[in-house]
Amino acid sequence: LGITRDVTEQKKAEEALLQEKKFTDIVINSLPGVFYLCDESGRLLRWNNNVKEATGYAVEELTNMNVLQFFREDRELVMGKMQEVFDTGGASAEARVYTKSGQSIPFLLTGFRMIVNDRRYLVGVGLDISERKRLEEQLQQSQKMESIGTLAGGISHDFNNILTAIIGYGSLLQMKVSNDDPLRHYVEQILASANRAANLTQ
């Protein structure tokens, strides 16, 4: 006795699911930065190829990891932001991600709540902001140098005004003192020093 069953629809459904997974994988892997999906405990459930490249962990290692393992000094911040995602629906934060080799990379991380079969998940992306941080530091340094330059310019301007008065009065005194006056030497030394200071200010 034999039974034959038509599984055409089942095969079509399986093929559709397979195509859907392929499509989803392509979309996730084409995202800029890192993509992650975790449950409420922080267990990593899905990620894109950029996570492997950014962190240096293999697929087998990532399968057993909790997202909090990527953080050290910012762990409390990330935990708070994760709870905010599950409570309010979304959150973002800047935090340093640690790679397998121990290198830390600044990331801008976003998270959104996703509910499937009454279970809550966190889905999000992270962007490496190392270059932005470097440019911010350069800008801050440039602004500091500009402030120092402005301060130095203001001081030299005020100092120059004082020297102008010293040189002016010294010159008047020099005209009043005769060549054989023993005080003339002191006046000339005052004027010479004041002129050197003026050149230094320039």
Side-chain angles (χ1 to χ4, degrees), residues 20-172:
E20 182 68 24
K21 186 180 184 311
K22 285 181 180 177
F23 174 76
T24 306
D25 286 343
I26 290 170
V27 170
I28 289 174
N29 286 319
S30 69
L31 291 172
V34 297
F35 168 86
Y36 40 86
L37 173 69
C38 67
D39 60 18
E40 287 191 74
S41 70
R43 187 167 60 95
L44 199 57
L45 303 173
R46 188 114 188 245
W47 57 88
N48 64 357
N49 290 334
N50 290 339
V51 172
K52 295 186 295 179
E53 293 172 12
T55 64
Y57 288 99
V59 174
E60 298 76 20
E61 294 171 305
L62 291 169
T63 303
N64 300 309
M65 288 186 71
N66 187 297
V67 292
L68 294 174
Q69 290 177 257
F70 295 115
F71 305 96
R72 293 181 188 172
E73 67 265 23
D74 295 325
R75 185 171 295 182
E76 294 294 324
L77 167 68
V78 173
M79 283 176 63
K81 290 295 181 178
M82 285 175 68
Q83 191 58 51
E84 188 179 334
V85 169
F86 292 120
D87 291 343
T88 67
S92 63
E94 285 187 16
R96 301 196 73 83
V97 171
Y98 278 80
T99 67
K100 186 177 180 180
S101 65
Q103 178 191 3
S104 70
I105 305 170
F107 268 86
L108 174 61
L109 305 165
T110 61
F112 297 93
R113 183 179 58 205
M114 182 173 72
I115 301 175
V116 180
N117 297 329
D118 296 326
R119 295 190 65 182
R120 299 189 301 180
Y121 299 92
L122 183 151
V123 60
V125 293
L127 296 175
D128 183 341
I129 54 173
S130 301
E131 182 64 14
R132 194 191 84 183
K133 287 290 186 184
R134 188 181 66 80
L135 292 173
E136 284 177 356
E137 287 174 7
Q138 283 185 348
L139 178 61
Q140 288 174 355
Q141 188 64 24
S142 174
Q143 288 173 336
K144 283 180 185 175
M145 294 304 294
E146 186 179 352
S147 298
I148 291 169
T150 303
L151 177 64
I155 291 172
S156 64
H157 178 74
D158 290 343
F159 191 60
N160 222 28
N161 288 341
I162 296 168
L163 288 173
T164 300
I166 293 171
I167 292 170
Y169 285 114
S171 297
L172 288 173

